[in-house]
Amino acid sequence: MTLILKNIHKLYRVAQQGERFKTGAAMSDAVCLEQAWLAVEAGRITAFGQMDAFPHEAYAGAETIDCTGKLVMPGFVDSHTHLVFPKTREQEFVYRLQGISYEEIAKRGGGILNSAKATQQISEEQLLAETLERAREIISLGTTTVEIKSGYGLTLDSELKLLRVAKKVQQEMPLRVKTTFLGAHAIPVEWQSNRQGYIDLVCEEMLPQVIEEGLADYIDVFCDTGFFTVEETEYILQKGLDAGLPAKIHANELDFSGGVQVGVKMGAYSVDHLERSGPDEIEALKGSETVPTLLPSVAFFLGIDYGPARGMIEAELPLALATDYNPGSSPGGSMPFVMSLACLGMRMLPEEALVASTLNAAFSMRMSEEIGSIEVGKYADLVITRPMDQLARIPYSYAQNPVETTIINGKVVHTTR
Ligand code: NIG
Ligand code: FE
C-alpha cells in the first residue's frame, strides 16, 4: 500500500541523509522543502521531492492526502515521560501555591512517595486504562515515539506492574514505545534508615526480574539532593550496564548534584532535567555522546530556572527536549507546548526546538537511524499540521494544538480532518 502526501506547503525534513544528531548552528536549519510531496510504502518513507517534479504516473491510484497550506514534519519523539501513573496530584499544586516547596512536599511523604502509595493500590487493569487515555492524548498532540519510565512503584511488584503496563501500551496502541527501569526514583519511607538495603532490592531483586521479563530498554536513577547520591547512582548504573541496560538519568533538577558528570562517566545515552547546570556541566558533556535533555515544562510548572539551552547549543551539544509527563512536576504531555517553552523560556529558535524534539530526542534513545527526520528508509512517523504558514506558528500559538493528523508507521492514527 502506497500513501502519498502531496501539495505540502512546507516539508520540514529536519536532517539530511544519515545525520545521527545535530549540534550548534546546524540545529537552526530544519531542512525545509517548499511545495513538496512525500511517498510512504510498507510503513517507511520511500521518496520525497518538489511538486513541480511529482511523478504522477508512478503513483497513479495511490491513497493520497492533500496537504495544501499545511506543514509536514517528523512525529515528535518524547524521550522522557512517566506516562504510567495512578492519579493526578493537584492537591500538591495547591500546597505549592500556598508556599510549600516541592522538596518540602516530598519530605512530608508527598511527591513520588504519594504516587508510589497509589500505584501499590491500583489494579493493573485500571492503571492501563488511565495510561491508554494519556497515550491517545499525546498521539493527538503529534507524539509518535514515547519513552516511559517506572519509578512510581518502589516495590518489586509495583515496579513490575508499571513496566508491564508500559509494555501493554506498546501492544495496544500504534505508538512506538521504549521503557526505562527507574526503581531508584526515591527511597521509600520504610527503607530510609537502610538506604543500601533499598538499593540492593533495586539491583538484586527488581533488576533481574525486569531483565528476565524483558521489560526495560534503559535504566534510570534520580541523582539529586534528597534522592540518590553520585556514588549510589554509579553503583546502580553499573549494575544496569552489566545487565545490558544503557542509562538515561535524572540529573541536576534540584541542585548541582554531580549527576551530569556521573552520567557522562557511565556512558549514559542522556542526562535529563539539568535545570541546575552551568559551565562545569557543559564542559563535562563536551566530547561525549551523552545527550543533554531539557524539560522546560518542569521549570515552567515548578517555577525554577530553565536549563541553559543557549550555552549547550553554543557548546555544540546535541540538545534534546522532552515533556517529562508526570503527576508531580509536569502534568502535561504536549511536545508543541514544550517547544513554546523552549523558545520563550530558553530563547531557542523554532527550528532548534523542532530538531531537539525529533532527531536529537531520537538519538538520546539511540533510535535516530530509524526515526526523527524525514529521510528515505526511515519509519513514516509524521505530523501534518493545521493550515499555517511556517514552523514558528507552533510555538507562537502556545495554547492551540497545531496537529491535524498523526501518522505512525505509515498509518493515520489520529486526524481531525
Ligand atoms: O522527572 N524528578 C524526578 N521525578 C519526576 C517527578 C517526580 C514527581 O514529582 O512525581 C520528574 O520530575
Ligand atoms: Fe522525569
Side-chain angles (χ1 to χ4, degrees), residues 29-74:
D29 178 9
V31 195
C32 178
L33 209 61
E34 298 200 17
Q35 277 310 307
W37 61 273
L38 172 83
V40 175
E41 274 161 289
R44 304 257 180 184
I45 297 163
T46 50
F48 56 81
Q50 270 167 316
M51 282 310 294
D52 51 13
F54 180 64
H56 289 276
E57 276 160 34
Y59 296 121
E63 184 189 342
T64 301
I65 301 178
D66 183 7
C67 300
T68 299
K70 299 168 188 176
L71 317 180
V72 173
M73 60 198 71

Side-chain angles (χ1 to χ4, degrees), residues 306-340:
Y306 285 86
R310 288 261 55 98
M312 290 172 173
I313 293 172
E314 271 155 36
E316 306 268 337
L317 304 180
L319 175 62
L321 292 168
T323 66
D324 197 15
Y325 197 172
N326 79 74
S329 65
S330 178
S334 170
M335 286 299 291
F337 185 54
V338 161
M339 287 171 65
S340 286

Side-chain angles (χ1 to χ4, degrees), residues 80-82 149 182 185 220 250 253 272-273 295 298 324-326 329:
H80 180 139
T81 83
H82 308 248
K149 299 173 191 301
L182 175 55
H185 197 190
D220 191 346
H250 282 75
E253 174 187 1
D272 304 12
H273 271 288
L295 312 168
V298 174
D324 197 15
Y325 197 172
N326 79 74
S329 65

Side-chain angles (χ1 to χ4, degrees), residues 122-170:
I122 196 172
S123 71
E124 200 166 309
E125 293 66 35
Q126 188 57 32
L127 190 57
L128 178 63
E130 303 277 345
T131 307
L132 288 178
E133 202 168 309
R134 279 175 224 126
R136 273 178 222 110
E137 176 199 2
I138 66 173
I139 290 171
S140 76
L141 290 159
T143 295
T144 53
T145 296
V146 67
E147 181 262 15
I148 305 177
K149 299 173 191 301
S150 66
Y152 286 129
L154 311 182
T155 64
L156 174 64
D157 286 351
S158 286
E159 283 295 304
L160 295 174
K161 178 157 71 178
L162 290 161
L163 289 171
R164 287 184 190 129
V165 167
K167 284 282 170 195
K168 284 204 181 129
V169 174
Q170 189 173 28

Side-chain angles (χ1 to χ4, degrees), residues 53-361:
F54 180 64
H56 289 276
E57 276 160 34
Y59 296 121
E63 184 189 342
T64 301
I65 301 178
D66 183 7
C67 300
T68 299
K70 299 168 188 176
L71 317 180
V72 173
M73 60 198 71
F76 303 124
V77 177
D78 194 351
S79 62
H80 180 139
T81 83
H82 308 248
L83 198 70
V84 188
F85 60 82
K87 61 183 179 71
T88 54
R89 302 204 316 250
E90 58 271 30
Q91 188 54 49
E92 291 175 17
F93 171 70
V94 176
Y95 291 152
R96 284 198 298 107
L97 298 176
Q98 291 167 337
I100 310 170
S101 73
Y102 180 71
E103 283 101 319
E104 189 53 39
I105 292 166
K107 266 195 214 131
R108 294 185 195 177
I112 296 167
L113 300 180
N114 178 357
S115 286
K117 209 180 293 163
T119 304
Q120 285 154 23
Q121 287 159 2
I122 196 172
S123 71
E124 200 166 309
E125 293 66 35
Q126 188 57 32
L127 190 57
L128 178 63
E130 303 277 345
T131 307
L132 288 178
E133 202 168 309
R134 279 175 224 126
R136 273 178 222 110
E137 176 199 2
I138 66 173
I139 290 171
S140 76
L141 290 159
T143 295
T144 53
T145 296
V146 67
E147 181 262 15
I148 305 177
K149 299 173 191 301
S150 66
Y152 286 129
L154 311 182
T155 64
L156 174 64
D157 286 351
S158 286
E159 283 295 304
L160 295 174
K161 178 157 71 178
L162 290 161
L163 289 171
R164 287 184 190 129
V165 167
K167 284 282 170 195
K168 284 204 181 129
V169 174
Q170 189 173 28
Q171 287 156 15
E172 298 200 11
M173 300 297 277
L175 209 52
R176 226 175 275 290
V177 176
K178 291 282 181 183
T179 53
T180 302
F181 172 51
L182 175 55
H185 197 190
I187 303 268
V189 182
E190 60 276 26
W191 290 99
Q192 267 161 12
S193 57
N194 179 13
R195 299 175 66 86
Q196 188 58 39
Y198 182 67
I199 292 168
D200 289 343
L201 177 67
V202 168
C203 296
E204 311 306 334
E205 292 187 43
M206 296 182 190
L207 179 62
Q209 194 62 36
V210 166
I211 298 290
E212 164 95 18
E213 292 186 39
L215 291 174
D217 302 293
Y218 316 100
I219 188 161
D220 191 346
V221 175
F222 186 9
C223 182
D224 228 318
T225 304
F227 293 85
F228 292 85
T229 66
V230 165
E231 293 71 29
E232 290 166 347
T233 302
E234 181 168 342
Y235 178 87
I236 299 162
L237 294 187
Q238 188 59 53
K239 296 278 182 182
L241 281 174
D242 293 346
L245 300 184
K248 285 175 66 63
I249 71 168
H250 282 75
N252 297 52
E253 174 187 1
L254 307 172
D255 210 341
F256 291 84
S257 64
V260 171
Q261 287 82 352
V262 72
V264 171
K265 179 176 174 193
M266 302 305 285
Y269 283 180
S270 72
V271 285
D272 304 12
H273 271 288
L274 278 46
E275 290 87 352
R276 304 287 283 163
S277 49
D280 289 349
E281 283 69 23
I282 290 178
E283 201 49 45
L285 285 159
K286 273 193 200 164
S288 76
E289 287 203 340
T290 299
V291 172
T293 298
L294 296 178
L295 312 168
S297 49
V298 174
F300 169 76
F301 188 73
L302 296 184
I304 60 178
D305 287 344
Y306 285 86
R310 288 261 55 98
M312 290 172 173
I313 293 172
E314 271 155 36
E316 306 268 337
L317 304 180
L319 175 62
L321 292 168
T323 66
D324 197 15
Y325 197 172
N326 79 74
S329 65
S330 178
S334 170
M335 286 299 291
F337 185 54
V338 161
M339 287 171 65
S340 286
L341 295 174
C343 295
L344 293 166
M346 310 195 294
R347 291 197 304 113
M348 287 175 72
L349 295 171
E351 287 77 7
E352 292 170 335
L354 179 65
V355 170
S357 301
T358 53
L359 185 75
N360 287 1

